[in-house]
Amino acid sequence: MKKLFALFTILFFSICIQAQTVTPTQTSTSTDKNKDDKKVEIAKNNPAETPGGDGGTKKFGRFNVPREKAEPIKIVKFAAPPVIDGKLDDEAWKNAQVLKDFYQTYPGDNIAPSKPTEVMLGYDEKNLYIAFRCFDEKDKIRASVAKRDSVTGEDNVRVWLDTYNDQRRAYVLAFNPLGIQQDGIFTEGQGSDFSVDIVMESKGVIEDWGWAVEVKIPFKSLRYAAGKGKLWGFNVARNIDRFNDEMDQWLPDDRNISGFLVKHGKLTGLDEIKTERTLEIVPSITVSETGRRVRQFPRYLVNQVGYYDPVLNPTGLPEQGRFVNQPIKQDIGVTMKYTITPNITLDAAYNPDFAEIEADALVVTANQRFPIFFQEKRPFFLEGADIFNSPLQIFYSRNIVDPDIAAKLTGKVGKNSFGLLVASDNAPGNYEEDDRNDPSVLPRISEFVDKNSMFAVLRVKRDFGKNNNIGFFGTYRGFPEQKNLVGGFDGKFKFNDKLVSSFQVVGTHSRRCFFEATFEPTLEPLQAQRNREICGTGTFTLSPVSPTNPNPSQNPSLNSNGATFNKYRTGNGLGYYVNLDYTEKSRGWFIEAGGRSKDYRADSGFTRRINNNFIFGVNRFSTEPKPKNKIIQIDWRQFSGINYDWKGRVTDLNFGTNFNFALQRNTFLFVETGIYKEKLFEEEFGLKRSPTRAFGAFSGDPTRSVWQHYVSGNINTTPVKKLSFGMFLGHIINAYDFDFAHRPQNPGPGRQFDAEIFGEYRPIDPLRVSLSYRKSRLVRNDNKVRTFDSDQITARSTYQFSRFTFARFRLDYDSLNQNFAGQALLGWNPSPGTAFYVGYNDNFNYNGFNPFTGNLERNFERNSRTFFIRASYLFRKSF
């Protein structure tokens, strides 16, 4: 009932908003105000006519821009739509608005482009049409049949559509010479997120004179402010890869003005858009058959080597595991999207299929003191995701692991943006059979078995002034015996063209188990019993300050009395963040400060470290770009930072500098060096010593510190169309050893070496082959022991049969676990929402360790393998 109540709440809220939405016939007052605002805006952007001349230019920033670019571009309505075939011979294009005379904004600074470009614009009641004519030498054009979103690294064109005209967020759509699409959201101050997919149509062709692309973008695929007289922010660009990644824009880029969207032009004339409500339903089904390694005997029976049972194990051999083929499984789910108005969207999902077709990239997990962030890839969470971003990351959608039901309402009404999300996640209560059958574990977890956690996220934001906003962000996560509430305010202010600031302050309230580094078994008997039931016994459960689990066997005396090192209690915390960003063409600086208190918890978000404050600053100098020189531009930065806990003790101090060189042939060289002082306190990693306890988390000194010296460098280059590669090298003197998996916690300094080499080769246009190898190793100073030595190899190949059909193979190897993971996938994805995949995943060890006994196993041992078929289809109806 709780799940249905959450869904009904959002539906009710949606209906209320729909009922209060202003109809097009009621927009005359807002239209007049919009025109008045535009007059003020033009006056600010164009303070004076250019002296002399014919009066045909206006001042745009510090540039003299032709009047037709400074004023809003009135888009033409087509009587008959063009055919989207890449040919620019339709009658409609003869009447289109034409944009030309581009500026080279990179690597040059608003100079003449290497090749001319023309863009044509038009619309009808249901679609926006854009055509690009890119003049070039046919045999030098870089283009390939690639999968969606893979248009960088070759020639492409781009368009930005700021559909709310708020200079804060815009669609960024890109296309290569063959019409391959890339789509995403550009958020001012955060950059582009290309995980979002929209439904549109495009086609590109290569001609003797160059190449052309035609695009049809349905208005129902966009979120925008409807009504007569509305303005859209707008800019277009062309990227010529072989000319050092040259970028040519229709409007100039004043590098002395902070921001990107604030320097874009305006579109007007979109007065006759037919507003539609659109319902999208995507049913999906995944059928899979999995085999995996399981225990031969229940875990609670196998507590020692040589376990004997006359029936289950008459030989008395230790647990080795066995491979079991599980029954065929099917997952059926449905996701729904309903555009209540062009600027308000309701998303809902019931038992959604959130299977990830593409696995996360390999990362080095050895010696990682803090959690690792992974990008969201699931479509449901990507719609309107930009509104849920904030500096302190109090919402991280991947914490919702396996939702049964979820709903989300996002949109913007006037100057107000909002987002509301609710979800029920069954992952926390989905315990494995070993835990469910273990008499020593079951009493503690019985309260939580098969229970769901509930998530609720509320986000509202108000724009004011030209580039300022302030908002409220609140999250809730509930699970039996666990409650977490987070709420606070954030904002962004632009003081002038060069200085921008953002901030966030939140408070947290939690009822849960907190790790107590100063643990003493002094609780009252009943309270201690309840504490053990909720928090467990005989284990170290660390707060998010460290993901490293110490080995409880090092302190067996603590386990003998069934004590817990966690205390079930209420905790209130504080988190804060503020920055200042100053930008000019040849120089700039950035300062930030923030922190999270000891009891800060954001269970719906992502937190790397608590009980920590930091201050960081960086200064930049840049040379004048010279596109014809061997060294096109040099960027030099100097930085320093300090971390300290809430007792005022310094934990980290660093000073450093780096240089970034832009070179010819799409080559970039980066080098950095610095010094870093790191101080460790025993209570950050576990129990702290006290007068009644002579031991703690560390074996050795409870506090230790060391100065570290590091140097690193990397180079990336794309010298020819078919080849790109890069390399990274890094060396740290006195890097701490945090690899405590199989030994006492005794962090000590050593020499760390990191290296990576990667490359991609395209022997023919449809085929891409990539290979990467990463090495990470640390040797301690005191005993010369190599505490970890990690080798990671990833090989991938993709063959693109057509724009929509591909075959992909991937193999990953991780030497730390002696583990291989492979995937073979055949896919067909003609549009967002409609897809068909057939795949095979495999996971196995070679000379690895038995997952049940920890013993070394020779040769190959398979851990799991899965065959799967996944299909989904987009049903789309407008009314």
PDB file of all heavy atoms in Angstrom, residues 521-552:
ATOM      1  N   PRO A 521      31.875  -1.108  26.366  1.00  0.00           N
ATOM      2  CA  PRO A 521      30.652  -1.907  26.623  1.00  0.00           C
ATOM      3  C   PRO A 521      29.975  -1.503  27.923  1.00  0.00           C
ATOM      4  O   PRO A 521      29.989  -2.216  28.906  1.00  0.00           O
ATOM      5  CB  PRO A 521      31.191  -3.328  26.686  1.00  0.00           C
ATOM      6  CG  PRO A 521      32.591  -3.170  27.180  1.00  0.00           C
ATOM      7  CD  PRO A 521      33.102  -1.880  26.598  1.00  0.00           C
ATOM      8  N   THR A 522      29.339  -0.306  27.909  1.00  0.00           N
ATOM      9  CA  THR A 522      28.728   0.215  29.138  1.00  0.00           C
ATOM     10  C   THR A 522      27.214   0.361  29.024  1.00  0.00           C
ATOM     11  O   THR A 522      26.602   0.942  29.904  1.00  0.00           O
ATOM     12  CB  THR A 522      29.333   1.588  29.471  1.00  0.00           C
ATOM     13  OG1 THR A 522      29.139   2.466  28.348  1.00  0.00           O
ATOM     14  CG2 THR A 522      30.825   1.469  29.753  1.00  0.00           C
ATOM     15  N   LEU A 523      26.629  -0.134  27.965  1.00  0.00           N
ATOM     16  CA  LEU A 523      25.187  -0.002  27.796  1.00  0.00           C
ATOM     17  C   LEU A 523      24.434  -0.849  28.816  1.00  0.00           C
ATOM     18  O   LEU A 523      24.915  -1.882  29.268  1.00  0.00           O
ATOM     19  CB  LEU A 523      24.779  -0.426  26.383  1.00  0.00           C
ATOM     20  CG  LEU A 523      25.324   0.409  25.220  1.00  0.00           C
ATOM     21  CD1 LEU A 523      24.916  -0.236  23.909  1.00  0.00           C
ATOM     22  CD2 LEU A 523      24.821   1.833  25.286  1.00  0.00           C
ATOM     23  N   GLU A 524      23.233  -0.417  29.153  1.00  0.00           N
ATOM     24  CA  GLU A 524      22.362  -1.210  30.005  1.00  0.00           C
ATOM     25  C   GLU A 524      22.003  -2.511  29.280  1.00  0.00           C
ATOM     26  O   GLU A 524      21.964  -2.561  28.053  1.00  0.00           O
ATOM     27  CB  GLU A 524      21.090  -0.424  30.327  1.00  0.00           C
ATOM     28  CG  GLU A 524      21.326   0.831  31.153  1.00  0.00           C
ATOM     29  CD  GLU A 524      21.855   0.499  32.535  1.00  0.00           C
ATOM     30  OE1 GLU A 524      21.476  -0.582  33.082  1.00  0.00           O
ATOM     31  OE2 GLU A 524      22.644   1.300  33.071  1.00  0.00           O
ATOM     32  N   PRO A 525      21.752  -3.620  30.021  1.00  0.00           N
ATOM     33  CA  PRO A 525      21.513  -4.927  29.388  1.00  0.00           C
ATOM     34  C   PRO A 525      20.463  -4.904  28.297  1.00  0.00           C
ATOM     35  O   PRO A 525      20.671  -5.422  27.212  1.00  0.00           O
ATOM     36  CB  PRO A 525      21.102  -5.808  30.567  1.00  0.00           C
ATOM     37  CG  PRO A 525      21.772  -5.182  31.753  1.00  0.00           C
ATOM     38  CD  PRO A 525      21.752  -3.699  31.499  1.00  0.00           C
ATOM     39  N   LEU A 526      19.276  -4.321  28.566  1.00  0.00           N
ATOM     40  CA  LEU A 526      18.229  -4.298  27.556  1.00  0.00           C
ATOM     41  C   LEU A 526      18.621  -3.452  26.357  1.00  0.00           C
ATOM     42  O   LEU A 526      18.366  -3.801  25.199  1.00  0.00           O
ATOM     43  CB  LEU A 526      16.922  -3.773  28.168  1.00  0.00           C
ATOM     44  CG  LEU A 526      16.257  -4.686  29.194  1.00  0.00           C
ATOM     45  CD1 LEU A 526      14.994  -4.026  29.762  1.00  0.00           C
ATOM     46  CD2 LEU A 526      15.904  -6.035  28.570  1.00  0.00           C
ATOM     47  N   GLN A 527      19.258  -2.327  26.640  1.00  0.00           N
ATOM     48  CA  GLN A 527      19.704  -1.456  25.552  1.00  0.00           C
ATOM     49  C   GLN A 527      20.785  -2.141  24.734  1.00  0.00           C
ATOM     50  O   GLN A 527      20.798  -2.057  23.504  1.00  0.00           O
ATOM     51  CB  GLN A 527      20.226  -0.142  26.124  1.00  0.00           C
ATOM     52  CG  GLN A 527      20.607   0.878  25.056  1.00  0.00           C
ATOM     53  CD  GLN A 527      21.145   2.156  25.656  1.00  0.00           C
ATOM     54  OE1 GLN A 527      21.228   2.290  26.875  1.00  0.00           O
ATOM     55  NE2 GLN A 527      21.522   3.086  24.797  1.00  0.00           N
ATOM     56  N   ALA A 528      21.692  -2.837  25.419  1.00  0.00           N
ATOM     57  CA  ALA A 528      22.763  -3.543  24.709  1.00  0.00           C
ATOM     58  C   ALA A 528      22.195  -4.661  23.841  1.00  0.00           C
ATOM     59  O   ALA A 528      22.654  -4.890  22.714  1.00  0.00           O
ATOM     60  CB  ALA A 528      23.760  -4.107  25.715  1.00  0.00           C
ATOM     61  N   GLN A 529      21.183  -5.384  24.348  1.00  0.00           N
ATOM     62  CA  GLN A 529      20.559  -6.443  23.566  1.00  0.00           C
ATOM     63  C   GLN A 529      19.909  -5.878  22.305  1.00  0.00           C
ATOM     64  O   GLN A 529      20.062  -6.420  21.210  1.00  0.00           O
ATOM     65  CB  GLN A 529      19.515  -7.165  24.419  1.00  0.00           C
ATOM     66  CG  GLN A 529      18.678  -8.192  23.659  1.00  0.00           C
ATOM     67  CD  GLN A 529      19.509  -9.343  23.127  1.00  0.00           C
ATOM     68  OE1 GLN A 529      20.557  -9.674  23.688  1.00  0.00           O
ATOM     69  NE2 GLN A 529      19.070  -9.942  22.020  1.00  0.00           N
ATOM     70  N   ARG A 530      19.169  -4.777  22.441  1.00  0.00           N
ATOM     71  CA  ARG A 530      18.524  -4.158  21.281  1.00  0.00           C
ATOM     72  C   ARG A 530      19.574  -3.650  20.290  1.00  0.00           C
ATOM     73  O   ARG A 530      19.413  -3.758  19.081  1.00  0.00           O
ATOM     74  CB  ARG A 530      17.647  -3.004  21.752  1.00  0.00           C
ATOM     75  CG  ARG A 530      16.838  -2.352  20.631  1.00  0.00           C
ATOM     76  CD  ARG A 530      15.945  -3.351  19.961  1.00  0.00           C
ATOM     77  NE  ARG A 530      15.096  -2.732  18.955  1.00  0.00           N
ATOM     78  CZ  ARG A 530      14.556  -3.379  17.941  1.00  0.00           C
ATOM     79  NH1 ARG A 530      14.770  -4.677  17.794  1.00  0.00           N
ATOM     80  NH2 ARG A 530      13.781  -2.752  17.076  1.00  0.00           N
ATOM     81  N   ASN A 531      20.658  -3.104  20.831  1.00  0.00           N
ATOM     82  CA  ASN A 531      21.744  -2.608  19.995  1.00  0.00           C
ATOM     83  C   ASN A 531      22.329  -3.737  19.151  1.00  0.00           C
ATOM     84  O   ASN A 531      22.616  -3.578  17.971  1.00  0.00           O
ATOM     85  CB  ASN A 531      22.830  -1.995  20.884  1.00  0.00           C
ATOM     86  CG  ASN A 531      23.444  -0.761  20.255  1.00  0.00           C
ATOM     87  OD1 ASN A 531      22.733   0.173  19.908  1.00  0.00           O
ATOM     88  ND2 ASN A 531      24.743  -0.767  20.104  1.00  0.00           N
ATOM     89  N   ARG A 532      22.498  -4.916  19.763  1.00  0.00           N
ATOM     90  CA  ARG A 532      23.064  -6.060  19.033  1.00  0.00           C
ATOM     91  C   ARG A 532      22.101  -6.552  17.958  1.00  0.00           C
ATOM     92  O   ARG A 532      22.505  -6.946  16.875  1.00  0.00           O
ATOM     93  CB  ARG A 532      23.406  -7.188  20.013  1.00  0.00           C
ATOM     94  CG  ARG A 532      24.628  -6.920  20.872  1.00  0.00           C
ATOM     95  CD  ARG A 532      25.093  -8.184  21.568  1.00  0.00           C
ATOM     96  NE  ARG A 532      24.130  -8.664  22.545  1.00  0.00           N
ATOM     97  CZ  ARG A 532      24.127  -8.296  23.835  1.00  0.00           C
ATOM     98  NH1 ARG A 532      25.035  -7.441  24.265  1.00  0.00           N
ATOM     99  NH2 ARG A 532      23.233  -8.776  24.664  1.00  0.00           N
ATOM    100  N   GLU A 533      20.788  -6.544  18.279  1.00  0.00           N
ATOM    101  CA  GLU A 533      19.804  -7.013  17.298  1.00  0.00           C
ATOM    102  C   GLU A 533      19.819  -6.161  16.037  1.00  0.00           C
ATOM    103  O   GLU A 533      19.678  -6.660  14.926  1.00  0.00           O
ATOM    104  CB  GLU A 533      18.410  -6.997  17.921  1.00  0.00           C
ATOM    105  CG  GLU A 533      18.206  -8.047  18.990  1.00  0.00           C
ATOM    106  CD  GLU A 533      16.858  -7.904  19.662  1.00  0.00           C
ATOM    107  OE1 GLU A 533      16.140  -6.914  19.337  1.00  0.00           O
ATOM    108  OE2 GLU A 533      16.502  -8.746  20.510  1.00  0.00           O
ATOM    109  N   ILE A 534      19.973  -4.858  16.203  1.00  0.00           N
ATOM    110  CA  ILE A 534      19.910  -3.954  15.061  1.00  0.00           C
ATOM    111  C   ILE A 534      21.261  -3.809  14.369  1.00  0.00           C
ATOM    112  O   ILE A 534      21.351  -3.840  13.143  1.00  0.00           O
ATOM    113  CB  ILE A 534      19.403  -2.570  15.508  1.00  0.00           C
ATOM    114  CG1 ILE A 534      17.990  -2.693  16.094  1.00  0.00           C
ATOM    115  CG2 ILE A 534      19.413  -1.583  14.345  1.00  0.00           C
ATOM    116  CD1 ILE A 534      17.470  -1.408  16.683  1.00  0.00           C
ATOM    117  N   CYS A 535      22.310  -3.668  15.159  1.00  0.00           N
ATOM    118  CA  CYS A 535      23.616  -3.318  14.595  1.00  0.00           C
ATOM    119  C   CYS A 535      24.537  -4.509  14.400  1.00  0.00           C
ATOM    120  O   CYS A 535      25.608  -4.362  13.795  1.00  0.00           O
ATOM    121  CB  CYS A 535      24.317  -2.292  15.487  1.00  0.00           C
ATOM    122  SG  CYS A 535      23.389  -0.762  15.694  1.00  0.00           S
ATOM    123  N   GLY A 536      24.171  -5.689  14.929  1.00  0.00           N
ATOM    124  CA  GLY A 536      25.040  -6.848  14.750  1.00  0.00           C
ATOM    125  C   GLY A 536      26.048  -6.959  15.864  1.00  0.00           C
ATOM    126  O   GLY A 536      26.140  -6.121  16.758  1.00  0.00           O
ATOM    127  N   THR A 537      26.843  -8.016  15.810  1.00  0.00           N
ATOM    128  CA  THR A 537      27.832  -8.266  16.850  1.00  0.00           C
ATOM    129  C   THR A 537      29.151  -8.689  16.248  1.00  0.00           C
ATOM    130  O   THR A 537      29.204  -9.271  15.172  1.00  0.00           O
ATOM    131  CB  THR A 537      27.365  -9.392  17.795  1.00  0.00           C
ATOM    132  OG1 THR A 537      27.167 -10.582  17.020  1.00  0.00           O
ATOM    133  CG2 THR A 537      26.064  -9.031  18.471  1.00  0.00           C
ATOM    134  N   GLY A 538      30.210  -8.365  16.957  1.00  0.00           N
ATOM    135  CA  GLY A 538      31.515  -8.930  16.649  1.00  0.00           C
ATOM    136  C   GLY A 538      32.128  -8.509  15.340  1.00  0.00           C
ATOM    137  O   GLY A 538      32.994  -9.190  14.829  1.00  0.00           O
ATOM    138  N   THR A 539      31.714  -7.395  14.782  1.00  0.00           N
ATOM    139  CA  THR A 539      32.323  -6.926  13.537  1.00  0.00           C
ATOM    140  C   THR A 539      32.538  -5.432  13.615  1.00  0.00           C
ATOM    141  O   THR A 539      31.837  -4.721  14.334  1.00  0.00           O
ATOM    142  CB  THR A 539      31.443  -7.225  12.313  1.00  0.00           C
ATOM    143  OG1 THR A 539      30.186  -6.588  12.486  1.00  0.00           O
ATOM    144  CG2 THR A 539      31.249  -8.713  12.110  1.00  0.00           C
ATOM    145  N   PHE A 540      33.515  -4.962  12.870  1.00  0.00           N
ATOM    146  CA  PHE A 540      33.684  -3.526  12.692  1.00  0.00           C
ATOM    147  C   PHE A 540      32.762  -3.094  11.557  1.00  0.00           C
ATOM    148  O   PHE A 540      32.862  -3.597  10.456  1.00  0.00           O
ATOM    149  CB  PHE A 540      35.121  -3.176  12.269  1.00  0.00           C
ATOM    150  CG  PHE A 540      36.139  -3.320  13.357  1.00  0.00           C
ATOM    151  CD1 PHE A 540      36.834  -4.500  13.487  1.00  0.00           C
ATOM    152  CD2 PHE A 540      36.416  -2.271  14.208  1.00  0.00           C
ATOM    153  CE1 PHE A 540      37.802  -4.636  14.464  1.00  0.00           C
ATOM    154  CE2 PHE A 540      37.389  -2.400  15.175  1.00  0.00           C
ATOM    155  CZ  PHE A 540      38.086  -3.585  15.314  1.00  0.00           C
ATOM    156  N   THR A 541      31.864  -2.178  11.797  1.00  0.00           N
ATOM    157  CA  THR A 541      31.052  -1.602  10.736  1.00  0.00           C
ATOM    158  C   THR A 541      31.426  -0.142  10.615  1.00  0.00           C
ATOM    159  O   THR A 541      31.110   0.652  11.489  1.00  0.00           O
ATOM    160  CB  THR A 541      29.551  -1.729  11.043  1.00  0.00           C
ATOM    161  OG1 THR A 541      29.243  -3.105  11.258  1.00  0.00           O
ATOM    162  CG2 THR A 541      28.719  -1.190   9.883  1.00  0.00           C
ATOM    163  N   LEU A 542      32.143   0.198   9.553  1.00  0.00           N
ATOM    164  CA  LEU A 542      32.685   1.540   9.438  1.00  0.00           C
ATOM    165  C   LEU A 542      31.668   2.527   8.887  1.00  0.00           C
ATOM    166  O   LEU A 542      30.800   2.179   8.116  1.00  0.00           O
ATOM    167  CB  LEU A 542      33.908   1.534   8.515  1.00  0.00           C
ATOM    168  CG  LEU A 542      35.121   0.750   9.034  1.00  0.00           C
ATOM    169  CD1 LEU A 542      36.254   0.914   8.053  1.00  0.00           C
ATOM    170  CD2 LEU A 542      35.536   1.230  10.401  1.00  0.00           C
ATOM    171  N   SER A 543      31.815   3.767   9.296  1.00  0.00           N
ATOM    172  CA  SER A 543      31.046   4.842   8.690  1.00  0.00           C
ATOM    173  C   SER A 543      31.613   5.102   7.307  1.00  0.00           C
ATOM    174  O   SER A 543      32.671   4.589   6.959  1.00  0.00           O
ATOM    175  CB  SER A 543      31.175   6.090   9.565  1.00  0.00           C
ATOM    176  OG  SER A 543      32.526   6.504   9.616  1.00  0.00           O
ATOM    177  N   PRO A 544      30.908   5.915   6.480  1.00  0.00           N
ATOM    178  CA  PRO A 544      31.390   6.142   5.114  1.00  0.00           C
ATOM    179  C   PRO A 544      32.750   6.799   5.030  1.00  0.00           C
ATOM    180  O   PRO A 544      33.283   6.932   3.942  1.00  0.00           O
ATOM    181  CB  PRO A 544      30.315   7.077   4.533  1.00  0.00           C
ATOM    182  CG  PRO A 544      29.094   6.764   5.310  1.00  0.00           C
ATOM    183  CD  PRO A 544      29.584   6.475   6.703  1.00  0.00           C
ATOM    184  N   VAL A 545      33.341   7.188   6.185  1.00  0.00           N
ATOM    185  CA  VAL A 545      34.669   7.791   6.123  1.00  0.00           C
ATOM    186  C   VAL A 545      35.693   6.840   5.538  1.00  0.00           C
ATOM    187  O   VAL A 545      36.687   7.248   4.991  1.00  0.00           O
ATOM    188  CB  VAL A 545      35.110   8.264   7.523  1.00  0.00           C
ATOM    189  CG1 VAL A 545      35.400   7.086   8.430  1.00  0.00           C
ATOM    190  CG2 VAL A 545      36.342   9.155   7.428  1.00  0.00           C
ATOM    191  N   SER A 546      35.456   5.530   5.621  1.00  0.00           N
ATOM    192  CA  SER A 546      36.395   4.577   5.042  1.00  0.00           C
ATOM    193  C   SER A 546      35.665   3.326   4.613  1.00  0.00           C
ATOM    194  O   SER A 546      34.983   2.704   5.421  1.00  0.00           O
ATOM    195  CB  SER A 546      37.478   4.202   6.060  1.00  0.00           C
ATOM    196  OG  SER A 546      38.284   3.162   5.551  1.00  0.00           O
ATOM    197  N   PRO A 547      35.825   2.934   3.360  1.00  0.00           N
ATOM    198  CA  PRO A 547      35.167   1.712   2.901  1.00  0.00           C
ATOM    199  C   PRO A 547      35.960   0.463   3.218  1.00  0.00           C
ATOM    200  O   PRO A 547      35.536  -0.632   2.906  1.00  0.00           O
ATOM    201  CB  PRO A 547      35.092   1.935   1.386  1.00  0.00           C
ATOM    202  CG  PRO A 547      36.322   2.703   1.093  1.00  0.00           C
ATOM    203  CD  PRO A 547      36.532   3.606   2.276  1.00  0.00           C
ATOM    204  N   THR A 548      37.149   0.603   3.811  1.00  0.00           N
ATOM    205  CA  THR A 548      38.007  -0.546   4.081  1.00  0.00           C
ATOM    206  C   THR A 548      37.542  -1.271   5.331  1.00  0.00           C
ATOM    207  O   THR A 548      37.467  -0.686   6.399  1.00  0.00           O
ATOM    208  CB  THR A 548      39.463  -0.085   4.274  1.00  0.00           C
ATOM    209  OG1 THR A 548      39.836   0.709   3.156  1.00  0.00           O
ATOM    210  CG2 THR A 548      40.391  -1.264   4.376  1.00  0.00           C
ATOM    211  N   ASN A 549      37.238  -2.547   5.240  1.00  0.00           N
ATOM    212  CA  ASN A 549      36.766  -3.311   6.387  1.00  0.00           C
ATOM    213  C   ASN A 549      37.934  -3.936   7.121  1.00  0.00           C
ATOM    214  O   ASN A 549      38.640  -4.776   6.576  1.00  0.00           O
ATOM    215  CB  ASN A 549      35.819  -4.430   5.925  1.00  0.00           C
ATOM    216  CG  ASN A 549      34.518  -3.869   5.403  1.00  0.00           C
ATOM    217  OD1 ASN A 549      34.000  -2.929   5.966  1.00  0.00           O
ATOM    218  ND2 ASN A 549      34.026  -4.437   4.319  1.00  0.00           N
ATOM    219  N   PRO A 550      38.177  -3.567   8.362  1.00  0.00           N
ATOM    220  CA  PRO A 550      39.248  -4.214   9.114  1.00  0.00           C
ATOM    221  C   PRO A 550      38.899  -5.661   9.420  1.00  0.00           C
ATOM    222  O   PRO A 550      37.747  -6.060   9.371  1.00  0.00           O
ATOM    223  CB  PRO A 550      39.328  -3.387  10.399  1.00  0.00           C
ATOM    224  CG  PRO A 550      37.984  -2.773  10.531  1.00  0.00           C
ATOM    225  CD  PRO A 550      37.470  -2.560   9.140  1.00  0.00           C
ATOM    226  N   ASN A 551      39.897  -6.426   9.713  1.00  0.00           N
ATOM    227  CA  ASN A 551      39.709  -7.856   9.936  1.00  0.00           C
ATOM    228  C   ASN A 551      39.406  -8.108  11.408  1.00  0.00           C
ATOM    229  O   ASN A 551      40.264  -7.924  12.263  1.00  0.00           O
ATOM    230  CB  ASN A 551      40.997  -8.585   9.526  1.00  0.00           C
ATOM    231  CG  ASN A 551      40.813 -10.086   9.536  1.00  0.00           C
ATOM    232  OD1 ASN A 551      39.824 -10.585  10.057  1.00  0.00           O
ATOM    233  ND2 ASN A 551      41.753 -10.796   8.964  1.00  0.00           N
ATOM    234  N   PRO A 552      38.168  -8.509  11.755  1.00  0.00           N
ATOM    235  CA  PRO A 552      37.827  -8.684  13.170  1.00  0.00           C
ATOM    236  C   PRO A 552      38.624  -9.785  13.847  1.00  0.00           C
ATOM    237  O   PRO A 552      38.721  -9.812  15.066  1.00  0.00           O
ATOM    238  CB  PRO A 552      36.335  -9.021  13.135  1.00  0.00           C
ATOM    239  CG  PRO A 552      36.089  -9.519  11.755  1.00  0.00           C
ATOM    240  CD  PRO A 552      37.055  -8.800  10.871  1.00  0.00           C
TER     241      PRO A 552
END
